């Protein structure tokens, strides 16, 4: 009798592995019990690899200070399940191999941003997880960072990176003029990813984010302008709650791509709800560039749900009609069109699907249920055929919401199929207090 073996290789990225001799420092309201009374003082006293445990103030009161992080440290709440609250800006000074983590913080007004590019070498790693920014942004739009922005709530702000992962965040970008300049104006972008100084074959994950836009010109939920890495843009929900003031609207723009056929870039199971000022001037998923710019790039656009409030809107568009794009099982409404891309006959331009605009979930009776790519590799987690939109497939939004702050493993990447004699490689991204 032959024995069949399954070999499992597990590669776990522990994001906060500090020195064995690291110390714990504490911050408290009064500075009693050997604690510091300010976060700035604790950082000044810390050594690389130390943890700074911040005691939440009585009644949720705020530590009011701006501070600079210029060491490999971890900032976290001293009370499990309770956020520490601050008011002020956090500035990160990069260095080769520096590791900075900020956990369970609530910031009433301030931003988190770098001073500039990190020196070339081992990336400066910044992990921002389970935080809430009520009036600020997260900006690591600089070379040689590895920015992991995970399970945060950002109100009236945005996220900008060049390398890393943006997973499971709720982003409410409601202020006109926010976002990064596109050279001629501003994109009101919830998530912007620009080209990094170090070209690699890594795949960056923009997965499981909920985004709302209320105002501004040229709105984008996601603006991808990175030609140095591949991407997975999956299971994101974007809702525009009011008509833009400008009639040109682009909601998921792919402005650049890595010029390589080694991996296919993926735009899968996203839900986009658009509002337009005029008909025919919106692009739900938009490729503005000519194939000659990135002739070897490939894209899968599958199982997306794109809904608009104006008929005859161009919802999936290759502006030049020259790129290698596989476009299948996307559901659109109001007779929306696919422009410059071959429609293989599986896309539905007159879907009757409606959604709960707060959650992005499809309403009962919608034809988007069990309507995605029928291959079992795209099945939902209940092992039924893929539901189009952000709640379909393995990375359903149910994996990320509501944000509880309790998760320790925040993303698992595993192959969808494996041969009987093959090796199953699983990459898990996690953190350890």
């Amino acid at each position: 009798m032959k024995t069949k073996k399954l070999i499992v290789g597990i590669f776990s990225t522990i994001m906060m592995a500090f020195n064995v001799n690291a110390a714990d420092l504490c911050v408290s309201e009064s500075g009693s019990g050997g604690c510091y009374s300010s976060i700035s003082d604790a950082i000044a006293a810390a050594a690389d690899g130390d943890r700074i445990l911040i005691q939440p103030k009585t009644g949720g009161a705020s530590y009011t200070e701006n501070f600079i992080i210029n060491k490999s440290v971890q900032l976290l709440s001293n009370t499990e399940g309770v956020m520490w609250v601050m008011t002020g800006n956090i500035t990160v000074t990069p260095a080769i191999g520096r590791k900075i983590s900020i956990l369970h913080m609530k910031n009433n007004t301030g931003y988190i941003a770098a001073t500039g590019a990190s020196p070339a070498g081992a990336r400066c790693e910044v992990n921002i997880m389970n935080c809430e920014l009520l009036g600020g942004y997260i900006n690591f739009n600089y070379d040689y960072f590895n920015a992991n922005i995970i399970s945060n709530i950002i109100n009236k702000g945005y996220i900008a990176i060049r390398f890393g992962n943006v997973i499971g965040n709720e982003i409410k970008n409601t202020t006109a003029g926010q976002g990064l300049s596109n050279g001629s104006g501003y994109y009101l972008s919830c998530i912007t990813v620009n080209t990094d100084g170090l070209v690699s074959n890594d795949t960056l994950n923009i997965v499981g984010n909920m985004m709302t836009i209320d105002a501004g010109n040229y709105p984008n939920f996601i603006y991808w302008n990175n030609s140095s890495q591949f991407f997975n843009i999956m299971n994101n929900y974007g809702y525009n709650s009011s008509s833009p003031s400008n009639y040109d609207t682009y909601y998921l723009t792919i402005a650049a791509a890595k010029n390589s056929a080694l991996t296919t870039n993926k735009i899968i199971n996203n839900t986009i709800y658009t509002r337009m000022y005029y008909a025919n001037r919106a692009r739900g998923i938009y490729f503005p560039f000519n194939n000659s710019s990135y002739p070897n790039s490939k894209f899968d656009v599958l199982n997306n749900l794109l809904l608009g409030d104006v008929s005859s809107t161009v919802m999936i568009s290759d502006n030049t009609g020259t790129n290698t794009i596989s476009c299948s099982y996307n559901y659109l409404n109001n007779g929306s069109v696919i422009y410059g891309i071959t429609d293989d006959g599986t896309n539905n331009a007159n879907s009757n699907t409606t959604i709960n605009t707060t959650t992005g979930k499809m309403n009962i009776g919608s034809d988007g249920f069990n309507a995605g790519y029928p291959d079992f590799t795209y099945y939902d987690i209940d092992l039924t055929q893929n539901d189009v939109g952000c709640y379909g497939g393995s990375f359903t939004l149910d994996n990320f919401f509501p944000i509880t702050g309790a998760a320790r493993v925040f993303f698992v990447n595993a192959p969808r199929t494996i041969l009987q004699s093959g090796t199953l490689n699983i990459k898990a991204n996690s953190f350890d207090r």
Side-chain angles (χ1 to χ4, degrees):
M1 176 180 172
K2 294 183 178 178
T3 303
K4 298 175 183 176
K5 295 182 179 178
L6 176 65
I7 303 171
V8 181
I10 299 179
F11 302 92
S12 180
T13 304
I14 304 298
M15 297 172 55
M16 302 174 186
F18 295 106
N19 300 331
V20 227
N21 298 320
D24 284 348
L25 289 74
C26 62
V27 178
S28 70
E29 186 165 9
S30 59
S32 59
C35 294
Y36 295 91
S37 59
S38 75
I39 301 167
S40 303
D41 288 346
I43 292 172
D48 282 334
D50 286 352
R51 299 193 310 173
I52 297 175
L53 305 174
I54 303 168
Q55 181 64 39
K57 286 189 176 183
T58 306
S62 171
Y63 292 92
T64 302
E65 55 181 307
N66 300 319
F67 58 84
I68 297 170
I69 303 178
N70 55 6
K71 298 169 182 174
S72 290
V73 292
Q74 179 183 151
L75 276 62
L76 71 160
S77 175
N78 196 31
T79 305
E80 182 71 25
V82 180
M83 286 183 161
W84 55 280
V85 181
M86 69 166 288
T87 301
N89 300 322
I90 301 175
T91 306
V92 170
T93 303
I96 294 174
R98 178 163 287 165
K99 294 184 178 182
I100 295 168
S101 299
I102 303 171
L103 300 175
H104 309 297
M105 172 203 70
K106 181 177 181 179
N107 194 328
N108 289 323
T109 60
Y111 60 73
I112 307 173
T115 56
S118 185
R123 292 183 182 277
C124 179
E125 183 178 301
V126 178
N127 307 300
I128 302 170
M129 308 176 71
N130 299 128
C131 293
E132 185 172 353
L133 281 73
L134 298 182
Y137 55 82
I138 297 174
N139 187 2
F140 289 90
N141 179 37
Y142 300 100
D143 287 337
Y144 307 114
F145 277 92
N146 178 17
N148 296 291
I149 317 299
I150 313 295
S151 297
N152 303 286
I153 297 173
I154 299 172
N155 194 29
K156 298 183 180 180
Y158 61 88
I159 295 170
I161 68 169
R162 296 192 182 183
F163 185 95
N165 299 284
V166 181
I167 298 172
N169 300 280
E170 183 176 5
I171 307 163
K172 302 175 182 178
N173 194 337
T174 58
T175 304
Q178 282 189 334
L180 302 177
S181 174
N182 65 356
S184 58
Y186 282 90
Y187 281 104
L188 180 66
S189 300
C190 293
I191 300 171
T192 299
V193 184
N194 283 319
T195 295
D196 187 59
L198 179 62
V199 177
S200 69
N201 289 325
D202 293 286
T203 298
L204 310 188
N205 296 298
I206 313 297
V207 177
N209 301 285
M210 297 186 72
M211 297 162 285
T212 303
I213 290 176
D214 281 348
N217 298 331
Y218 308 106
N220 264 283
F221 295 119
I222 299 172
Y223 184 67
W224 180 275
N225 191 31
N226 180 317
S227 60
S228 50
Q229 280 83 34
F230 301 103
F231 64 75
N232 289 329
I233 298 176
M234 300 189 294
N235 293 88
N236 300 287
Y237 173 51
Y239 173 62
N240 187 10
S241 59
S242 62
S243 297
S245 57
N246 189 294
Y247 55 78
D248 289 321
T249 57
Y250 312 97
Y251 290 97
L252 197 172
T253 299
I254 308 301
K258 182 175 170 62
N259 187 26
S260 170
L262 183 64
T263 296
T264 300
N265 298 286
K266 295 178 174 59
I267 301 174
I268 298 178
N269 275 112
N270 300 283
T271 296
I272 298 174
Y273 187 97
T274 70
R275 291 179 183 269
M276 277 66 68
Y277 193 70
Y278 293 126
N280 298 319
R281 299 309 298 257
R283 306 292 183 267
I285 299 174
Y286 182 50
F287 296 83
F289 53 79
N290 191 291
N291 174 262
S292 60
S293 304
Y294 314 102
N296 299 306
S297 301
K298 300 185 300 180
F299 308 90
D300 281 346
V301 180
L302 309 174
N303 306 331
N304 298 288
L305 176 62
L306 298 103
L307 305 176
D309 62 351
V310 176
S311 62
S312 302
T313 300
V314 179
M315 293 296 283
I316 303 177
S317 174
D318 179 6
N319 195 46
T320 63
T322 60
N323 294 289
T324 306
I325 301 172
S326 174
C327 184
S328 302
Y329 293 93
N330 299 287
Y331 272 48
L332 309 88
N333 70 342
N334 289 329
S336 300
V337 299
I338 296 172
Y339 175 81
I341 304 170
T342 300
D343 185 345
D344 64 3
T346 64
N347 301 286
N348 183 346
N350 290 286
S351 170
N352 71 1
T353 293
T354 60
I355 61 172
N356 177 317
T357 55
T358 301
T359 63
K361 289 192 173 185
M362 291 187 290
N363 293 322
I364 295 172
S366 296
D367 59 6
F369 289 107
N370 299 324
Y373 208 99
D375 189 281
F376 73 90
T377 57
Y378 296 96
Y379 272 17
D380 296 338
I381 55 177
D382 64 358
L383 300 183
T384 59
Q385 185 173 328
N386 184 282
D387 292 342
V388 297
C390 58
Y391 287 91
S394 299
F395 297 120
T396 167
L397 271 188
D398 284 325
N399 290 333
F400 306 102
F401 291 90
I403 296 173
T404 63
R408 291 294 184 261
V409 177
F410 61 83
F411 195 70
V412 177
N413 213 338
R416 295 182 181 272
T417 57
I418 182 173
L419 298 176
Q420 184 175 329
S421 57
T423 299
L424 174 60
N425 292 323
I426 300 174
K427 182 177 180 179
N429 297 93
S430 63
F431 70 92
D432 182 10
R433 285 170 58 91

